[in-house]
Amino acid sequence: GAVVSQHPSWVICKSGTSVKIECRSLDFQATTMFWYRQFPKQSLMLMATSNEGSKATYEQGVEKDKFLINHASLTLSTLTVTSAHPEDSSFYICSARDMPENQPQHFGDGTRLSIL
Amino acid sequence: GQNIDQPTEMTATEGAIVQINCTYQTSGFNGLFWYQQHAGEAPTFLSYNVLDGLEEKGRFSSFLSRSKGYSYLLLKELQMKDSASYLCAVLDSNYQLIWGAGTKLIIKP
């Protein structure tokens, strides 16, 4: 149980392109979803938290107009990296959690984004 | 501020036992998680402790002492596939998950 599917797993695109990443909880209701990014050999960095039907809460330093998050249903959240540039290249990982709030976060397999 | 400390790297031998420690100072406490992350992959959930004591799950056990702000993950009968980073994370009073930087465990034959 507690499977989270994330697509695509790998994206290579030109600078200026917008990239959409999907995160789905397959067998549970994801009341809350989280988006992280991770640079090589560094720890997870939380970008934003989203609750179904609400606007996402972004961490300090994360541009909300750059990283658009939509959590329209209890099983789907999307992250769109708008007008991506080489410095946006990273490993993006989503996680999902059901209620109550002390439930563990279950992670998708991650999306490796490379901007040329 | 909120702080979680764990060793950066540890080395152990296949078949042996290793203990990975985690100390924390957070604003409130609603539980502590351990995750395993293989290189290039996303983290996977290992354990959750909210009460003091030892939780055993197969070859892996996790211990918590809330009064000491301390936890450890114990891995027995180490296998090569256990080579990974192990992440300690604490749920604070606002139910925000505070992540440690992770401990890279290297298993040698």
Side-chain angles (χ1 to χ4, degrees):
Chain A
V3 177
V4 176
S5 172
Q6 184 174 343
H7 291 284
S9 40
W10 200 291
V11 180
I12 302 174
C13 58
K14 292 181 181 179
S15 187
T17 308
S18 290
V19 178
K20 189 177 192 178
I21 303 170
E22 284 192 356
C23 182
R24 292 181 186 271
S25 58
L26 298 186
D27 53 2
F28 68 102
Q29 292 189 331
T31 315
T32 307
M33 285 186 164
F34 305 84
W35 287 95
Y36 294 85
R37 66 189 293 182
Q38 188 175 36
F39 293 105
K41 298 185 180 180
Q42 293 190 21
S43 54
L44 290 170
M45 188 194 85
L46 180 66
M47 298 175 67
T49 302
S50 74
N51 291 295
E52 182 259 339
S54 311
K55 287 186 179 179
T57 302
Y58 289 80
E59 295 300 301
Q60 199 169 9
V62 178
E63 301 173 55
K64 57 182 69 175
D65 294 332
K66 172 87 175 161
F67 300 99
L68 302 178
I69 291 171
N70 184 279
H71 190 170
S73 77
L74 279 173
T75 58
L76 174 65
S77 176
T78 59
L79 167 68
T80 302
V81 184
T82 60
S83 188
H85 290 100
E87 58 267 26
D88 298 322
S89 298
S90 188
F91 188 43
Y92 291 85
I93 319 172
C94 73
S95 71
R97 186 192 70 197
D98 199 356
M99 290 295 280
E101 288 166 301
N102 63 351
Q103 287 291 302
Q105 292 181 27
H106 296 283
F107 287 83
D109 288 337
T111 297
R112 202 161 299 282
L113 178 62
S114 295
I115 309 298
L116 305 176
Chain B
Q2 313 217 76
N3 196 48
I4 296 184
D5 285 314
Q6 48 182 134
T8 306
E9 188 173 295
M10 298 182 71
T11 303
T13 306
E14 190 177 15
I17 299 174
V18 72
Q19 177 175 310
I20 302 174
N21 295 325
C22 171
T23 57
Y24 62 89
Q25 292 171 312
T26 55
S27 51
F29 180 84
N30 278 301
L32 184 145
F33 295 87
W34 284 97
Y35 282 82
Q36 178 191 61
Q37 186 177 24
H38 284 101
E41 298 181 11
T44 55
F45 168 70
L46 290 178
S47 67
Y48 171 70
N49 293 69
V50 67
L51 299 176
D52 290 350
L54 187 68
E55 296 273 345
E56 297 187 70
K57 202 186 280 187
R59 292 190 299 116
F60 293 8
S61 302
S62 55
F63 171 83
L64 175 68
S65 168
R66 288 170 297 171
S67 62
K68 295 181 180 177
Y70 167 70
S71 171
Y72 67 73
L73 181 68
L74 191 72
L75 291 74
K76 301 177 187 175
E77 301 168 20
L78 285 170
Q79 301 174 9
M80 297 303 292
K81 67 178 182 180
D82 297 329
S83 293
S85 287
Y86 291 85
L87 310 176
C88 172
V90 173
L91 207 55
D92 72 7
S93 57
N94 294 321
Y95 291 94
Q96 292 239 348
L97 199 58
I98 312 300
W99 292 89
T103 298
K104 183 178 180 181
L105 178 63
I106 299 167
I107 310 295
K108 295 187 174 178

